[in-house]
Amino acid sequence: DIQLTQSPSFLSASVGDRVTITCRASQGISSYLAWYQQKPGKAPKLLIYAASTLQSGVPSRFSGSGSGTDFTLTISSLQPEDFATYYCQQLNSYLSGFGQGTKLEIK
Amino acid sequence: QVQLQESGPGLVKPSETLSLTCTVSGGFIDTFYWSWTRQPAGKALEWIGRIYSSGNTHYNPSLQSRVTLSVDTSKNQFSLKLNSVTAADTAVYYCARDAMGTYYYGMDIWGQGTAVTVSS
């Protein structure tokens, strides 16, 4: 099984900050990676697919990059509504799995 | 637009079978994969498995021995059965549309989730 490790697990930042979350796969997954945002009590929301493609309707301050084993999600200028938990998810040989999550909190 | 709605019992006894259904509205179930994911309180998301409209399935190896997914295209529904449940299966269960092709397009539409508690 492929394991995804996100870092950091917790991140404290201020409105306007630029933040980066990293997701590392235990083996290469090409660009078969997606990023989700989840707010308390809500279903996850797809932000990025194919490692770097912005889902329709998602603000352009979100961006993704990487391929193989190392991926990043960047928020260029944090907005109040961005404080949430973020998950990466991989697809490999038709199996999927999620990272452990990164909780983004207001400083 | 396409919407998903989970339904099923909110309380299941230990050793019994958890059964949930996801109803797809505003679109057809054909030509997409459909996934189940769960989340225990305060913990990370865990992918359970996915099913194609033809009935082809992929399961999380850690749950494969206990999980069965099925699809009913005439009702625009797909279902999850998890047998021999324990307290560790207590979670919010989500269904989602899972888009794959040349690339992996992610789970782009989710149900609101349904809470299931395993307790006697």
Side-chain angles (χ1 to χ4, degrees):
Chain A
D1 295 2
I2 293 178
Q3 305 300 316
L4 295 178
T5 303
Q6 290 182 230
S7 60
S9 295
F10 297 93
L11 181 56
S12 181
S14 301
V15 172
D17 284 354
R18 177 185 180 91
V19 299
T20 297
I21 299 169
T22 297
C23 179
R24 175 162 289 174
S26 57
Q27 53 185 276
I29 55 170
S30 185
S31 297
Y32 291 96
L33 188 104
W35 288 96
Y36 300 86
Q37 176 194 69
Q38 187 181 33
K39 296 183 178 179
K42 300 294 187 182
K45 173 187 174 182
L46 177 65
L47 299 175
I48 302 279
Y49 63 87
S52 61
T53 304
L54 198 66
Q55 172 71 354
S56 176
V58 174
S60 59
R61 63 181 180 273
F62 291 91
S63 63
S65 65
S67 67
T69 60
D70 294 311
F71 303 86
T72 59
L73 172 70
T74 299
I75 310 173
S76 60
S77 178
L78 275 173
Q79 299 302 299
E81 61 267 30
D82 299 337
F83 292 94
T85 300
Y86 293 84
Y87 292 94
C88 56
Q89 180 224 355
Q90 57 86 13
L91 176 75
N92 183 66
S93 299
Y94 293 102
L95 301 183
S96 277
F98 291 89
Q100 84 278 15
T102 295
K103 187 173 183 179
L104 178 54
E105 298 179 325
I106 300 174
K107 184 182 288 184
Chain B
Q1 72 274 20
V2 176
Q3 294 183 310
L4 306 182
Q5 179 67 58
E6 304 91 348
S7 59
L11 181 64
V12 182
K13 289 182 168 56
S15 80
E16 296 191 345
T17 297
L18 181 160
S19 295
L20 296 174
T21 295
C22 184
T23 300
V24 180
S25 60
F28 293 104
I29 204 167
D30 296 63
T31 72
F32 281 98
Y33 279 96
W34 304 90
S35 267
W36 289 95
T37 297
R38 70 181 182 179
Q39 186 173 39
K43 296 189 177 181
L45 300 166
E46 180 181 29
W47 177 70
I48 298 171
R50 69 171 60 84
I51 187 165
Y52 191 63
S53 51
S54 64
N56 188 31
T57 54
H58 312 132
Y59 295 126
N60 184 329
S62 69
L63 297 169
Q64 185 168 3
S65 63
R66 299 194 293 129
V67 173
T68 302
L69 301 186
S70 59
V71 62
D72 187 337
T73 54
S74 67
K75 294 182 178 179
N76 242 26
Q77 294 177 334
F78 60 103
S79 298
L80 162 70
K81 290 189 185 299
L82 179 67
N83 59 36
S84 305
V85 297
T86 70
D89 296 308
T90 294
V92 175
Y93 286 75
Y94 295 100
C95 59
R97 189 173 77 174
D98 202 352
M100 292 191 290
T102 303
Y103 301 100
Y104 179 52
Y105 300 100
M107 300 181 192
D108 62 343
I109 301 173
W110 293 69
Q112 64 185 22
T114 188
V116 178
T117 300
V118 178
S119 175
S120 55

